[in-house]
Amino acid sequence: MTAPTLPATPTGELAGATTAPAAGRRRKAPAPAPTGPDRIPRPSQGWYRDKVTGDKLRRVTTILEQGCTKGDALTIWAGNITAETAMANLPYLVSSSLQPAARYEAEKWLKRAHHRKKDERADVGTAVHTLIESHVLGTPMPDALLTDEEMAPYLRHFLQFVEEWQVTFEASEMVVGNYEQGYAGTLDYLLRSRLIAAALSAYLDVEVPADSVFMGDTKTGGELDIKGVYPEAGLQMAAYRKARVAWLRDGSTVPMPATYSTGVVLHLRPEGYRLVPVVCDDAVYAAFLVIQQAAEWTSGLSKKVVRPALTLPALTEGAAA
């Protein structure tokens, strides 16, 4: 697939026609057409905008955030984090409770405990993805991350995974999109491994070709063998797997490479790693499309359903009779 191109003439204009600028006003120079890597859509406020076509594609992670209902899971998690933070800082909270101003600041600090934990996890995840991307592309790893003691075990276990499973990478941090369904996202990586293929063959009791390309993702939260890999990973990878177009590093486009219907999540933690198979087949993709509709409801129509309260109309005497 080649990159979509803009029409030769803007809609509603005739070829060769000119329009004089309004008196006293200068016509704004048209923005230059994007070239090279600038042609790759970038995420912003929940969307990817294609600078070539002008299309806006909803970000896959935003779709999942808006369309998936987690019930009380997030509420329970936030409550647990707040309780743990309070118990770990009792002297500070007790002393703060004696003065109104200090009490107010302590309450604000405690209420944001779960936000701080979420940001910490996001920072670790971003750093780990940066290290992996540098390894896959063969580019220098940032010195700040290489010398960060907190990052060292993540890098060590990632390299262990690559060596033990004899992994080769096909792509990393590649933007992919589906114009028909209106979404885009950035996949972690595509990989090959005859050992992963063999392990899946035994696990699924089907023949998985040794040269299969697998969708791969990295998760850094939770605890090994307990939590950290959730069903949403399958929805995300299914959406990427069903993308129609992929952007290369030079800004050119290619058809989305075919990948196997089961992907793998590398659950990476300081104490080790696990390689978790995750189904991302057509059935999971169908579920993603339903969730996409739910997200459209949450972000759009749901905001227009409940209207302002009615006011009692004033009736004339004749109408009242």
Side-chain angles (χ1 to χ4, degrees), residues 92-105:
Y92 163 69
L93 296 177
V94 170
S95 62
S96 298
S97 67
L98 303 177
Q99 302 177 22
R103 181 189 181 107
Y104 174 73
E105 291 300 324

Side-chain angles (χ1 to χ4, degrees), residues 215-228:
M215 187 75 63
D217 195 11
T218 300
K219 303 298 183 187
T220 58
E223 303 173 60
L224 292 182
D225 302 320
I226 298 178
K227 58 183 179 180

Side-chain angles (χ1 to χ4, degrees), residues 118-285:
K118 184 178 179 181
D119 291 343
E120 289 173 8
R121 291 183 175 181
D123 290 343
V124 170
T126 299
V128 169
H129 279 75
T130 299
L131 289 174
I132 292 175
E133 182 182 13
S134 296
H135 173 83
V136 173
L137 299 179
T139 57
M141 295 186 183
D143 290 337
L145 296 182
L146 282 177
T147 57
D148 188 334
E149 294 183 359
E150 185 180 8
M151 292 295 103
Y154 289 100
L155 178 58
R156 182 172 64 254
H157 295 313
F158 169 73
L159 296 177
Q160 180 184 356
F161 152 71
V162 173
E163 180 180 0
E164 290 181 343
W165 289 90
Q166 299 178 19
V167 172
T168 58
F169 294 94
E170 299 290 313
S172 174
E173 299 296 324
M174 185 166 68
V175 177
V176 299
N178 186 318
Y179 287 95
E180 291 79 8
Q181 298 298 336
Y183 68 79
T186 303
L187 58 82
D188 277 11
Y189 39 78
L190 301 179
L191 59 88
R192 295 181 194 264
S193 165
R194 62 180 182 84
L195 296 181
I196 292 177
L200 283 177
S201 293
Y203 181 76
L204 301 173
D205 196 23
V206 297
E207 182 179 353
V208 180
D211 62 347
S212 296
V213 177
F214 299 101
M215 187 75 63
D217 195 11
T218 300
K219 303 298 183 187
T220 58
E223 303 173 60
L224 292 182
D225 302 320
I226 298 178
K227 58 183 179 180
V229 180
Y230 298 98
E232 288 78 9
L235 294 167
Q236 185 175 5
M237 290 196 287
Y240 296 160
R241 182 170 175 263
K242 286 295 185 176
R244 295 289 182 262
V245 61
W247 281 265
L248 302 181
R249 295 277 165 170
D250 62 3
S252 62
T253 59
V254 296
M256 176 63 193
T259 59
Y260 195 70
S261 58
T262 296
V264 290
V265 170
L266 175 64
H267 190 195
L268 205 58
R269 295 290 300 155
E271 61 271 24
Y273 80 86
R274 297 289 186 271
L275 192 62
V276 182
V278 175
V279 177
C280 50
D281 60 8
D282 292 353
V284 179
Y285 180 65

